[in-house]
Amino acid sequence: MSRNKRCLPAVVLTVAVVMALLIVQGCSWFGGDSESSGKQAPQEPERLTCPLCGSEVADSSVIDRRPVAVKVENDPAARPQSGLDKAGVVYEEITEGGITRFIAIYLCRDADPVGPIRSARPADIDIIYPYDALFCHCGGAPSTLSMIKQAKIADLDEFGEYDAYWRFRDRRAPHNLYAGTAQLRQAGDAIYPFEGEVDTAFDFLGQAELDEMAAGRAGEIARAGAEPTGEPGEYEPLVTVVNNIYIPYTGGCKAQYAYDVASGKFLRYVAGRLHTDLTTGGQLSVDTVIVQYVTVSPSGIVDVHGADSPNLGVVGSGRAQVFVMGQLIDANWEKASRGWHTRYLDNSGNEIKLKPGSVWIQLVPATEQVSID
Ligand SMILES: [Zn+2]
């Protein structure tokens, strides 16, 4: 900032084009200097993107704030949920009896309402930690709650009786707790002022790369169609074309994605039906789907029925599959410690770039296998 201010008179005193160029470069480097912008020669408009989901945003105020992470249930009685369509990143995790639950993380888009909101699980801490997000949930087992406290996560447990949460009277408890992410963030900011910057969790593809992938997929389909059949094993695809992804969750939570060429998104199904949003009625659609195989083990923390809340082994490394633009990219994941964002690497060890918009990370037991066609 101060460097820009010192440079400004130079523009007035000298008309040297080279100097002006240097200033322009300096201003865009430091970014957001409203005092000096507007007095310069026309600049390339700065593209602001969300560090969480890669979406382009018009205003930095929606990214210079704390992410909000909300625990949303996926019990069949909880569907359709609200607000999952606005999340930047969503994790789906297995809980007791195989029923899944979501951690929906919001930054550039708000959801009002989001829910039904339910309790925390042991795996949530390792997942949420690197996002520095406000953790919004409805209680949890005592040992889970004490782990949240020890990890010093910005915690907004509904049991703290914050006004940001409410219950819908026309839905039966416990499937009726909702909140708005703006109200949650407001309540959280009062307790945990956010002065940091949101760390980029993923690398994202640019438009030219997305176009190239779409062309690569179409080319592969044409090439495969033109190949003579009857010589199995000889045909080597250049890209792995994906039309459907089948995630073998149990407990009525079996998930499926169907690739939609027109939008470049994966459309979500659950238990054989469209997975819709209660508020909009629209089907959930996802830009990048990541399947992360994790080692499930008992945590010793049990629910009221005595069923174990599994540990999901999200710290460490393992196999992964990244689905972008109707293609499968074989991957490995690694997260050396709780503080790390998980990295998804291709077979050459390069970080895989994702499609901007929304990222859903499917945590799948390593004993299972996702199928595609
Ligand atoms: Zn975003």
Side-chain angles (χ1 to χ4, degrees):
M1 293 281 247
S2 60
R3 182 172 151 179
N4 281 340
K5 281 177 193 160
R6 271 208 308 277
C7 289
L8 256 179
V11 181
V12 182
L13 295 174
T14 77
V15 289
V17 175
V18 174
M19 200 60 200
L21 279 172
L22 275 175
I23 301 300
V24 169
Q25 210 169 31
C27 290
S28 66
W29 177 261
F30 283 91
D33 189 346
S34 56
E35 283 180 52
S36 56
S37 64
K39 296 180 183 177
Q40 305 296 328
Q43 298 180 26
E44 274 287 301
E46 203 177 338
R47 273 184 81 247
L48 276 179
T49 55
C50 173
L52 187 67
C53 72
S55 295
E56 199 162 340
V57 296
D59 181 353
S60 64
S61 66
V62 298
I63 53 175
D64 292 338
R65 56 185 191 173
R66 189 187 291 282
V68 172
V70 186
K71 269 322 278 288
V72 176
E73 65 169 325
N74 193 28
D75 187 286
R79 296 180 207 135
Q81 298 92 342
S82 297
L84 290 173
D85 57 337
K86 308 289 193 304
V89 175
V90 176
Y91 288 83
E92 184 165 14
E93 63 182 10
I94 288 173
T95 68
E96 309 78 46
I99 293 178
T100 66
R101 206 161 268 194
F102 301 106
I103 304 171
I105 309 179
Y106 298 87
L107 182 60
C108 67
R109 296 178 289 269
D110 278 307
D112 188 1
V114 52
I117 300 172
R118 295 292 293 279
S119 58
R121 288 294 179 277
D124 300 345
I125 298 152
D126 287 336
I127 294 169
I128 288 170
Y129 194 87
Y131 291 97
D132 198 8
L134 181 72
F135 187 24
C136 304
H137 59 102
C138 175
S143 51
T144 306
L145 297 181
S146 92
M147 282 159 65
I148 293 169
K149 206 168 182 182
Q150 275 171 20
K152 295 191 167 61
I153 281 175
D155 184 36
L156 201 76
D157 185 348
E158 190 265 344
F159 284 5
E161 296 186 5
Y162 300 102
D163 291 341
Y165 296 93
W166 71 87
R167 288 192 186 271
F168 272 130
R169 292 211 176 132
D170 58 349
R171 292 192 76 152
R172 192 180 294 182
H175 312 296
N176 64 351
L177 183 68
Y178 290 79
T181 54
Q183 296 92 313
L184 290 168
R185 188 179 280 110
Q186 196 178 7
D189 283 348
I191 314 166
Y192 313 100
F194 185 66
E195 283 151 7
E197 207 170 86
V198 180
D199 195 17
T200 305
F202 308 103
D203 280 346
F204 290 97
L205 295 154
Q207 191 54 53
E209 292 167 303
L210 293 167
D211 292 345
E212 204 175 298
M213 288 190 81
R217 184 182 192 273
E220 180 59 44
I221 291 168
R223 203 167 79 91
E227 280 295 308
T229 52
E231 296 174 43
E234 284 191 11
Y235 181 73
E236 291 260 341
L238 296 173
V239 300
T240 307
V241 173
V242 174
N243 294 304
N244 292 287
I245 313 167
Y246 305 92
I247 320 266
Y249 293 134
T250 56
C253 297
K254 196 165 71 174
Q256 183 190 339
Y257 292 95
Y259 184 61
D260 175 53
V261 177
S263 63
K265 289 169 179 268
F266 292 95
L267 309 180
R268 187 175 159 95
Y269 298 78
V270 63
R273 296 179 176 194
L274 298 187
H275 196 169
T276 56
D277 181 85
L278 179 64
T279 310
T280 68
Q283 186 178 12
L284 297 176
S285 63
V286 177
D287 289 283
T288 300
V289 178
I290 298 177
V291 172
Q292 181 178 341
Y293 293 95
V294 293
T295 305
V296 177
S297 61
S299 70
I301 298 169
V302 293
D303 70 3
V304 288
H305 307 293
D308 190 89
S309 295
N311 273 331
L312 299 178
V314 293
V315 175
S317 59
R319 282 190 305 132
Q321 292 169 306
V322 177
F323 297 91
V324 181
M325 295 297 288
Q327 297 184 26
L328 159 66
I329 302 161
D330 262 324
N332 289 296
W333 64 268
E334 63 175 31
K335 175 176 163 95
S337 68
R338 175 179 281 176
W340 277 43
H341 277 298
T342 308
R343 298 171 73 213
Y344 300 93
L345 307 170
D346 66 18
N347 291 331
S348 307
N350 299 314
E351 198 147 341
I352 296 168
K353 290 186 184 179
L354 312 183
K355 180 166 182 268
S358 57
V359 183
W360 282 50
I361 297 160
Q362 309 292 151
L363 301 175
V364 172
T367 50
E368 302 286 338
Q369 180 60 51
V370 164
S371 56
I372 59 169
D373 63 21

